[in-house]
Amino acid sequence: MTTTVSQKQILDALSKVNDPELHRSLTDLKMVRDVVIHAGKVEVTIALTVSNCPLKSQIEEDVRAAITALPEVKQVSVKLISMTDQERAALFGEPKEGAAAPYNHIQNVVAVMSGKGGVGKSLVTGLLAAALSKKGYRVGILDADITGPSIPMLLGLHGPVEPGPVGLRPLQSRGGLKVMSMNFLLTNEDQPVIWRGPLIGKAITQLWGDVMWGDLDYLLVDLPPGTSDAALSTMQSLPVKGVVMVTTPQGLSAMIVRKAVHMTQAVGVPILGVVENMAYFICPDTGKQHFIFGPSHATEITLAASAPLMAQLPIDPNVAALCDAGHVEDVKLTEIEGLIEAFVKAAPVQAERQHG
Ligand SMILES: Nc1ncnc2c1ncn2[C@@H]1O[C@H](COP(=O)(O)OP(=O)(O)OP(=O)(O)O)[C@@H](O)[C@H]1O
Ligand SMILES: [Mg+2]
């Protein structure tokens, strides 16, 4: 008598295979549509939640591996189809605000702030994100600069973004960062966003709750200058663990950054550390250090913020060129190592969730 694998065994095996994004089993998500068994040959049909699913080959591989591991299975073929809008709505409900949030697991939300414009907030966000990712952390960037987004340009990313089953899918940078910006949602990148405060706040909460960030160790929020709409909305509606405060040596910058320090203190968000950007310039001809913007005010800011100085970054024409070319992930500065060490110390990742 020849024994053969049963449909129940196959469904049991597939009930242990999770959708890698939604962390629910394929059977629970009603993705297993058909199982045909004939003389040790198994043919399964899997309905993807969306047709453009970027993880379809991983799902196919996981299904194949789970069935191949069963006894009496000689051959497995996996047919992929996709759910209809009705099927998706029956499973996840009609699309609604904040639908992605329950599927996201983000350990540390950290805002990069200054109060002052043009001091290098977006650069520091990009440098931190790229260096954390190179260390193996899972990192995202939420561009909260709704009206003047720089993150897409620093990373050379352009929309549009694709919809996923429960929200929008962030774009992936060359270095593997998950990135979402208002710019990706505009039909024309040059189109200005002319919005008042409440809409800015709403846009930020949507970039948080309507985006499939998935599992992240760090989500860095690049704030626009100022201490009002975007900064307030971010700190009041997102679970911000702390702020990295960016400053430059100018006296004016120090004065405005102190305001930002007081604002974060007023809303009860801790300052994790201070980064002084454009601290000095090393002349390539003489190797001499020049303090273009005058003497450092970093100590003053760190005292006001009760936070450590994480780094003093030089003015470097290579940095500016790489930023303009969309290659912020390729910036190499010796100061970055110390910056990351101080950052991870201030916002550590729990061991059991690291590199998952
Ligand atoms: N240390 C540096 N060396 C060279 N260029 C720099 C440095 N820091 C910033 N820049 C350049 O200065 C410009 C402004 O930097 P960035 O966009 O990061 O500032 P920002 O504080 O985010 O500005 P905004 O207030 O508009 O958001 C960028 O074009 C960047 O390339
Ligand atoms: Mg910026």
Side-chain angles (χ1 to χ4, degrees):
M1 193 185 94
T2 52
T3 55
T4 178
V5 62
S6 72
Q7 193 160 38
K8 183 178 178 309
Q9 282 174 298
I10 290 173
L11 290 175
D12 280 351
L14 294 181
S15 73
K16 295 186 189 79
V17 176
N18 274 356
D19 178 292
E21 231 173 2
L22 302 170
H23 303 294
R24 281 169 63 187
S25 77
L26 303 190
T27 47
D28 187 26
L29 288 166
K30 301 186 174 46
M31 289 169 70
V32 185
R33 292 304 166 83
D34 201 16
V35 178
V36 179
I37 308 160
H38 180 70
K41 289 185 187 169
V42 179
E43 196 183 299
V44 282
T45 305
I46 302 290
L48 300 168
T49 52
V50 282
S51 58
N52 59 2
C53 180
L55 298 163
K56 58 179 158 193
S57 33
Q58 188 185 337
I59 294 173
E60 185 179 341
E61 224 170 88
D62 292 349
V63 166
R64 192 182 298 282
I67 301 175
T68 307
L70 294 171
E72 321 297 339
V73 172
K74 297 195 180 71
Q75 199 184 323
V76 180
S77 78
V78 182
K79 189 173 158 207
L80 297 177
I81 57 169
S82 48
M83 288 184 188
T84 63
D85 290 346
Q86 288 83 353
E87 286 170 340
R88 205 166 28 250
L91 195 57
F92 302 111
E94 290 298 334
K96 61 173 192 298
E97 271 181 35
Y103 295 93
N104 294 336
H105 304 282
I106 302 174
Q107 266 213 38
N108 292 289
V109 180
V110 176
V112 180
M113 185 185 183
S114 169
K116 179 93 171 68
V119 292
K121 297 176 289 298
S122 303
L123 169 72
V124 168
T125 306
L127 294 181
L128 274 171
L132 286 166
S133 174
K134 279 180 199 138
K135 293 243 178 257
Y137 295 104
R138 301 160 300 179
V139 188
I141 299 181
L142 188 163
D143 181 2
D145 196 341
I146 305 295
T147 56
S150 337
I151 289 295
M153 183 173 164
L154 289 179
L155 292 160
L157 291 174
H158 304 275
V161 286
E162 300 274 351
V166 290
L168 294 172
R169 281 215 169 81
L171 293 185
Q172 288 257 355
S173 73
R174 280 180 285 259
L177 306 172
K178 289 186 180 174
V179 185
M180 185 53 95
S181 169
M182 192 67 203
N183 239 31
F184 303 153
L185 306 175
L186 304 175
T187 40
N188 169 4
E189 286 184 341
D190 297 335
Q191 183 188 336
V193 174
I194 312 167
W195 284 348
R196 292 187 196 277
L199 280 183
I200 299 280
K202 190 153 190 290
I204 292 172
T205 50
Q206 287 183 339
L207 292 181
W208 164 256
D210 297 352
V211 172
M212 295 182 65
W213 293 107
D215 288 353
L216 291 179
D217 296 313
Y218 294 103
L219 179 69
L220 304 183
V221 182
D222 182 32
L223 288 176
T227 50
S228 54
D229 305 319
L232 259 181
S233 296
T234 300
M235 289 187 210
Q236 292 179 336
S237 7
L238 272 53
V240 176
K241 190 154 266 181
V243 163
V244 171
M245 200 60 80
V246 182
T247 186
T248 61
Q250 292 130 299
L252 178 65
S253 171
M255 185 270 283
I256 298 174
V257 175
R258 278 200 305 274
K259 283 187 197 292
V261 166
H262 295 145
M263 180 260 182
T264 57
Q265 288 166 340
V267 294
V269 175
I271 297 171
L272 303 177
V274 175
V275 175
E276 188 176 52
N277 187 27
M278 309 190 200
Y280 57 89
F281 172 71
I282 295 183
C283 175
D285 300 331
T286 62
K288 196 166 170 258
Q289 227 179 11
H290 295 274
F291 298 92
I292 309 272
F293 291 119
S296 173
H297 287 273
T299 312
E300 203 182 298
I301 306 285
T302 55
L303 285 175
S306 312
L309 180 62
M310 287 179 160
Q312 287 179 295
L313 305 177
I315 298 175
D316 181 340
N318 288 328
V319 169
L322 285 166
C323 287
D324 282 350
H327 288 283
V328 72
E329 291 167 292
D330 298 336
V331 168
K332 289 188 180 61
L333 288 174
T334 47
E335 290 77 6
I336 293 175
E337 198 54 42
L339 170 64
I340 293 301
E341 207 173 293
F343 180 88
V344 171
K345 195 168 159 210
V349 167
Q350 283 163 35
E352 69 270 19
R353 286 189 39 86
Q354 206 174 328
H355 315 310

